[in-house]
Amino acid sequence: MRRFVLFILAISCFLAIPGLAQQASNNLKLWYDQPAPNWNEALPIGNGRLGAMVFGVPEKENIQLNEGTLWSGGPHRNDNPDTKAILPEIRQLLFDGKYEEAHNLANAKIISNTSHGMPFETAGNLYLTFDGHDNYSNYYRELDISKAIQKTSYTVDGVNYQREVFTSFPDQVLVIRLTASKPGQLSFAASMDRPNPELITVSTEGNGLLKMVGRSNDRKSKRLPKDAEGTKGQVKFETRVQVIPEGGMVIANDTSLAVEKANSVTIYVSIATNFVNYMDISGDQHERAVDYLAAVEGKSYDQLKQAHTQHYQQLFNRVALDLGRTKEADKPTDARINNFSSVTDPALAALYFQFGRYLLISSSQPGGQPANLQGIWCNQLDPPWKSAYTININTEMNYWPAEVTNLPEMHEPLIEMVKELSVAGQETAEVMYGADGWVAHHNTDLWRIAGPVDGATWGMWPSGGIWLSQHLWDKYMFSGDIGYLREVYPAMKGSTEFCLSFLIPEPEHGWLIMSPSTSPENRPAHFPNMINIQYGTTMDNQLVFDMLTKTAAAARLLGEDDDLVKKIEETIPKLAPMQIGQHGQIQEWIKDWDDPEDKHRHVSHLYGLQPSNQISPYRNPELFEAAMNVLTYRGDPSTGWSMNWKINLWARLLDGNHAYKLMGDQIRLVGRPDSPNGGGTYPNMLDAHPPFQIDGNFGFTSGLAEMLVQSHDGAIHLVPAVPDVWKDGKVTGLRARGGFVIESMAWKDGKLAKAVIKSTLGGNCRIRSYNALTVDGKKSLKKAKGVNKNNFYQTPAIKEPLISAKANLKGYAPPKSFLYDVPTKSGDVIVLVGK
């Protein structure tokens, strides 16, 4: 209860302080009238390699630091060579219905007995301690995501203090600028620490430099056998903090710096490791850290700030979204989050959308590591779920917004990781399964482990690489870049080769299925707790179909591997179809075991609806209805990432009002009695699983984009799922498959008013709209007929589903829509106007 009293007081104080509403009038700012009392209220900044959480505490600023390659352990593998010998036995146990025996055998002979993956680690904390600054007024803290700059301001004894912090994209250092309204008023101490002090040394160098050197932690999972050696921490790192005052002086102590009576101060923070790639840690962390600082010598603060902002805005400014603004937008961000589900605050939904894009830019840059479970922000040495890459939904969700929200460069680190896994996973496929191609299971890390971890309940899923590989093709579908496709094709081919060599016929129908496997993390209700091992799960069937179909399409485009294409074409008809069970639901398992009371967070069998395009209201309405039934049974309350997946799914189901209802469930403060399953949003707008996982933020951004534009089902569907509450709005810069860019789009009274679409590749532009359209408000449009001839808009030809006699489907009819074809050449701009 105390928390909500504080909110009332905070809002009252905000209303009493003149000028704060004006300061926060920018719709792209998160702002607060109090410091962050804990890490979940600090504000994230990052440049893809460096991450920081800024607390904004006047008397003791805490800037928690990360570097993207600072992980536990070092280069290693975690394959289990015992697997190959027992593979026929475990498959037969599953066919015989002996699931508990199969589960136990998987734990003994398949799950890794050498490594269960390495955690992402914090680089420590930088503290700036200001004596006497605990008695402050006029406090204001913001994160301006239009510029990627964090700012804190307050008043002490009539002096106005300001701090600006950013992680420079072009210069690769963290920059802090401290100013005061009167000269000689900046006096503070700078110090550093890290949770594991015995692995670090903090010292000073000269009068203005503070440094920390250390290495990553050793790691031995509690799940490993007692005699397992574990993995030695081999990542060396160095952090260098350069303090440059204007006026005053700097005094160096053994482990800290003291600044006295400066007019202003600029601080540069450089962090580097010895990581070169997942097999090589021969880099010189000291030389790198020194070079980063040397590169900014002679540059003014304004120059650094301008270069940083310019680099960032070239990415961020590609998309703008206006859903309207109400007086709620004048309140502090934490109050807005707390109120969202009970008021009308469309600007907060737009801010949440853009915050996801900000986080992706800040945590995933070309040449760096992909965003992990916490992006690039982690304050622990052993964080929840290792803050690693969970590739049975979470890592993939991180990148759903990349292409559609016009950040294709941010997709590149994931693509590079998949390419690296396609090499590392070849040995895993051969050693463990005697299979061709490459495999990855449900988890990986900086070292690109590909073996199964954490126990059979989670790790006995050999389809992680198959899901990741969908991103290789999906990125091509937006760009049409044949050179890129040629580059990633070997990884696609390798994943398909694994599928072809791992598939076996199941005993009842002879369908080719994956075994052993799971439907990620869920189990049939009648199974013993924690036992979920299976064969032929629906998600695996959907993933394999997509992998084979996309690889064949890529091979044809590139003129390669005719024999492989022939084998794929022979295999696809033998795959298992989707099945609609007795409750009118898409079956999650090969048998009709689904329970309408199952509320599990994973809805893996709906992969075929989203992010895939196998399920459509126009091509297979019975599957569409069955997917809707699944979501209805599962209900809305869920953990953070799951709630945001459901936003995407309901958008694909063309139900914007339901998607928006889930947005209200997501945008509410963690810990409220009405927070679904404890999920929601922290005051700093980061998603709560809980604890913090960043995938929910990215899922929200993707989901909102799906409500505005969809291009997966044979046409560009404009405003397919806009909720009633967003009666009017406009957006610029979203992308559709086939190289189409929605340069601008506006809707009024829920109907499309105007859209300007640029064709960068040419080809037929098929448009779907709920209201009639004209060209330039004058010319009539050609009504579409037949299959879209644009190769980027071909839809998958899946098998007819098997439908239980007990299913009792009601029949689904999609909303009435208009379908038009507009032929285009590269560079053409189409202006569509609604009637």
Side-chain angles (χ1 to χ4, degrees):
M1 180 61 69
R2 178 175 176 271
R3 179 74 183 172
F4 304 111
V5 172
L6 287 175
F7 278 125
I8 295 169
L9 291 173
I11 295 169
S12 300
C13 292
F14 149 70
L15 293 173
I17 299 172
L20 286 190
Q22 287 74 24
Q23 284 179 285
S25 61
N26 187 327
N27 284 334
L28 294 172
K29 288 182 180 179
L30 288 68
W31 75 273
Y32 309 84
D33 55 13
Q34 57 186 341
N38 57 63
W39 192 82
N40 288 316
E41 301 195 33
L43 294 172
I45 57 174
N47 63 8
R49 187 181 70 85
L50 300 178
M53 295 288 281
V54 186
F55 285 64
V57 180
E59 64 272 27
K60 190 174 183 178
E61 179 63 275
N62 179 7
I63 301 177
Q64 183 268 313
L65 303 169
N66 287 102
E67 203 278 347
T69 60
L70 182 46
W71 291 61
S72 296
H76 70 287
R77 300 192 61 83
N78 75 329
D79 312 325
N80 191 335
D82 295 338
T83 302
K84 192 185 297 186
I86 60 90
L87 193 56
E89 178 184 358
I90 197 169
R91 285 171 163 170
Q92 191 59 50
L93 286 172
L94 291 171
F95 291 156
D96 292 342
K98 298 177 181 179
Y99 303 108
E100 189 164 358
E101 291 179 40
H103 171 87
N104 293 334
L105 186 57
N107 272 329
K109 298 294 185 179
I110 298 181
I111 300 303
S112 177
N113 54 26
T114 58
S115 167
H116 283 196
M118 299 295 114
F120 182 47
E121 295 186 357
T122 178
N125 301 282
L126 171 63
Y127 301 105
L128 307 177
T129 304
F130 296 78
D131 288 341
H133 282 216
D134 52 341
N135 187 17
Y136 55 85
S137 60
N138 293 330
Y139 184 89
Y140 177 79
R141 177 170 62 106
E142 73 172 27
L143 175 61
D144 186 344
I145 65 170
S146 72
K147 299 177 181 177
I149 294 175
Q150 192 279 329
K151 184 184 297 182
T152 303
S153 62
Y154 59 92
T155 302
V156 174
D157 295 334
V159 179
N160 299 322
Y161 294 90
Q162 181 170 290
R163 304 169 188 168
E164 285 190 335
V165 191
F166 62 88
T167 42
S168 172
F169 288 92
D171 290 294
Q172 289 297 303
V173 293
L174 183 146
V175 183
I176 306 166
R177 178 68 170 173
L178 309 175
T179 58
S181 61
K182 296 180 182 179
Q185 295 298 313
L186 285 170
S187 298
F188 63 92
S191 60
M192 300 185 73
D193 71 7
R194 192 167 183 260
N196 199 340
E198 66 264 26
L199 297 182
I200 61 165
T201 301
V202 179
S203 61
T204 57
E205 189 176 296
N207 283 336
L209 193 134
L210 177 67
K211 68 177 182 179
M212 176 192 290
V213 297
R215 70 166 175 87
S216 65
N217 276 25
D218 306 336
R219 174 75 174 182
K220 180 182 175 181
S221 171
K222 295 177 181 178
R223 299 178 185 271
L224 288 174
K226 291 181 179 180
D227 59 351
E229 293 182 2
T231 308
K232 179 74 173 177
Q234 300 176 58
V235 179
K236 299 175 182 178
F237 72 96
E238 180 166 332
T239 301
R240 299 175 72 83
V241 180
Q242 182 77 57
V243 178
I244 303 175
E246 295 175 23
M249 60 189 298
V250 181
I251 302 170
N253 301 307
D254 290 343
T255 59
S256 64
L257 298 174
V259 174
E260 295 185 357
K261 298 181 179 180
N263 301 326
S264 61
V265 179
T266 305
I267 302 173
Y268 305 115
V269 181
S270 167
I271 313 175
T273 75
N274 62 338
F275 178 88
V276 177
N277 59 52
Y278 71 99
M279 298 179 289
D280 183 354
I281 49 172
S282 64
D284 187 328
Q285 70 282 357
H286 171 73
E287 181 180 348
R288 290 172 171 177
V290 169
D291 287 349
Y292 285 131
L293 284 183
V296 299
E297 287 183 9
K299 296 182 180 180
S300 69
Y301 173 75
D302 287 341
Q303 287 175 320
L304 293 169
K305 182 178 175 180
Q306 181 178 1
H308 161 77
T309 302
Q310 183 177 2
H311 179 104
Y312 170 76
Q313 289 182 338
Q314 287 175 350
L315 300 167
F316 183 80
N317 287 354
R318 293 173 183 171
V319 171
L321 175 63
D322 181 0
L323 298 176
R325 181 184 172 91
T326 66
K327 63 181 181 180
E328 294 295 324
D330 296 330
K331 297 176 181 177
T333 303
D334 49 355
R336 294 174 70 188
I337 294 170
N338 189 53
N339 297 339
F340 182 81
S341 61
S342 59
V343 300
T344 301
D345 189 359
L348 185 59
L351 178 63
Y352 212 105
F353 166 86
Q354 291 285 32
F355 186 55
R357 297 183 67 247
Y358 164 82
L359 292 172
L360 190 57
I361 297 169
S362 300
S363 62
S364 183
Q365 284 283 312
Q369 298 301 312
N372 60 49
L373 271 180
Q374 295 184 189
I376 199 171
W377 299 278
C378 171
N379 65 335
Q380 302 176 46
L381 300 178
D382 190 12
W385 303 287
K386 297 171 288 215
S387 190
Y389 300 105
T390 305
I391 56 177
N392 65 11
I393 172 63
N394 313 90
T395 301
E396 291 86 353
M397 182 182 283
N398 283 1
Y399 287 89
W400 289 350
E403 300 297 329
V404 67
T405 73
N406 217 332
L407 296 174
E409 301 93 331
M410 285 35 310
H411 212 165
E412 291 177 19
L414 181 71
I415 302 301
E416 290 303 311
M417 184 174 83
V418 179
K419 288 161 62 179
E420 290 172 349
L421 279 170
S422 75
V423 176
Q426 289 178 26
E427 185 173 338
T428 308
E430 167 56 31
V431 167
M432 292 189 62
Y433 301 115
D436 300 330
W438 67 277
V439 65
H441 293 79
H442 100 290
N443 215 281
T444 191
D445 59 16
L446 182 72
W447 312 112
R448 306 309 186 240
I449 61 164
V453 303
D454 294 342
T457 303
W458 304 273
M460 191 56 266
W461 187 64
S463 301
I466 305 171
W467 194 348
L468 284 175
S469 296
Q470 312 299 326
H471 284 256
L472 305 176
W473 174 257
D474 293 345
K475 184 172 178 62
Y476 165 74
M477 291 295 284
F478 280 86
S479 71
D481 185 340
I482 287 288
Y484 158 80
L485 184 62
R486 193 174 301 279
E487 177 188 322
V488 300
Y489 175 72
M492 294 180 64
K493 177 181 176 182
S495 185
T496 289
E497 288 173 331
F498 174 76
C499 294
L500 292 172
S501 62
F502 194 74
L503 290 166
I504 60 168
E506 50 82 36
E508 186 175 352
H509 305 278
W511 297 327
L512 294 180
I513 51 86
M514 303 285 280
S515 178
S517 189
T518 64
S519 186
E521 304 189 27
N522 197 14
R523 64 181 175 88
H526 65 285
F527 274 39
N529 189 34
M530 308 303 289
I531 294 177
N532 60 354
I533 192 166
Q534 265 301 309
Y535 65 89
T537 64
T538 296
M539 184 189 213
D540 279 350
N541 301 335
Q542 295 169 341
L543 281 168
V544 170
F545 173 87
D546 271 357
M547 194 70 256
L548 270 56
T549 302
K550 293 171 182 178
T551 300
R556 294 186 193 102
L557 283 167
L558 298 172
E560 297 191 14
D561 293 316
D562 291 344
D563 289 343
L564 177 64
V565 172
K566 182 178 180 182
K567 188 172 183 180
I568 290 171
E569 290 173 342
E570 293 171 348
T571 301
I572 287 176
K574 302 175 184 178
L575 298 177
M578 278 184 262
Q579 301 181 77
I580 298 175
Q582 60 186 316
H583 305 294
Q585 87 291 356
I586 292 178
Q587 289 182 199
E588 185 164 1
W589 294 279
I590 201 165
K591 298 182 186 298
D592 195 357
W593 286 332
D594 299 71
D595 182 351
E597 299 304 315
D598 180 4
K599 306 300 180 185
H600 199 272
R601 62 194 177 278
H602 282 261
V603 283
S604 304
H605 47 319
L606 296 189
Y607 162 87
L609 174 65
Q610 193 279 332
S612 183
N613 64 343
Q614 295 175 31
I615 299 172
S616 162
Y618 308 104
R619 291 179 284 112
N620 39 46
E622 66 285 347
L623 284 172
F624 193 81
E625 180 182 350
M628 190 179 300
N629 289 339
V630 170
L631 279 184
T632 302
Y633 294 150
R634 285 291 168 93
D636 294 340
S638 192
T639 54
W641 66 263
S642 177
M643 198 132 54
N644 289 285
W645 189 2
K646 291 174 183 177
I647 293 172
N648 286 264
L649 290 164
W650 280 108
R652 285 280 177 99
L653 290 171
L654 307 179
D655 191 339
N657 287 330
H658 203 134
Y660 180 79
K661 188 269 178 187
L662 282 158
M663 288 181 166
D665 291 341
Q666 172 63 24
I667 307 179
R668 67 178 69 202
L669 282 173
V670 174
R672 276 179 40 167
D674 57 347
S675 291
N677 286 11
T681 298
Y682 289 110
N684 60 6
M685 210 179 276
L686 291 176
D687 168 64
H689 179 64
F692 161 53
Q693 278 187 200
I694 203 167
D695 38 26
N697 289 99
F698 296 134
F700 184 99
T701 299
S702 167
L704 198 153
E706 290 277 353
M707 296 162 79
L708 302 181
V709 176
Q710 296 179 15
S711 62
H712 64 282
D713 198 11
I716 301 174
H717 195 169
L718 302 177
V719 291
V722 171
D724 295 341
V725 71
W726 300 340
K727 192 176 181 180
D728 305 330
K730 54 188 175 183
V731 66
T732 63
L734 296 178
R735 298 169 75 223
R737 291 164 178 80
F740 294 104
V741 180
I742 316 301
E743 292 196 328
S744 66
M745 181 175 72
W747 64 96
K748 189 172 180 61
D749 293 328
K751 295 182 179 180
L752 182 66
K754 184 176 181 181
V756 179
I757 302 174
K758 182 174 182 178
S759 172
T760 65
L761 299 176
N764 184 55
C765 181
R766 178 164 289 186
I767 300 293
R768 187 181 296 276
S769 170
Y770 293 135
N771 56 300
L773 305 176
T774 63
V775 178
D776 295 322
K778 302 174 183 176
K779 301 177 183 176
S780 60
L781 284 163
K782 177 185 176 183
K783 291 184 179 180
K785 293 182 179 179
V787 174
N788 190 344
K789 295 180 180 180
N790 190 319
N791 286 333
F792 293 97
Y793 284 83
Q794 303 309 297
T795 53
I798 65 170
K799 279 185 173 181
E800 288 293 318
L802 296 186
I803 304 176
S804 168
K806 300 178 182 179
N808 193 27
L809 295 176
K810 298 177 181 178
Y812 175 83
K816 179 184 176 182
S817 62
F818 297 83
L819 202 61
Y820 302 104
D821 280 339
V822 183
T824 73
K825 300 186 297 294
S826 176
D828 283 355
V829 176
I830 309 164
V831 179
L832 303 174
V833 178
K835 289 186 178 180

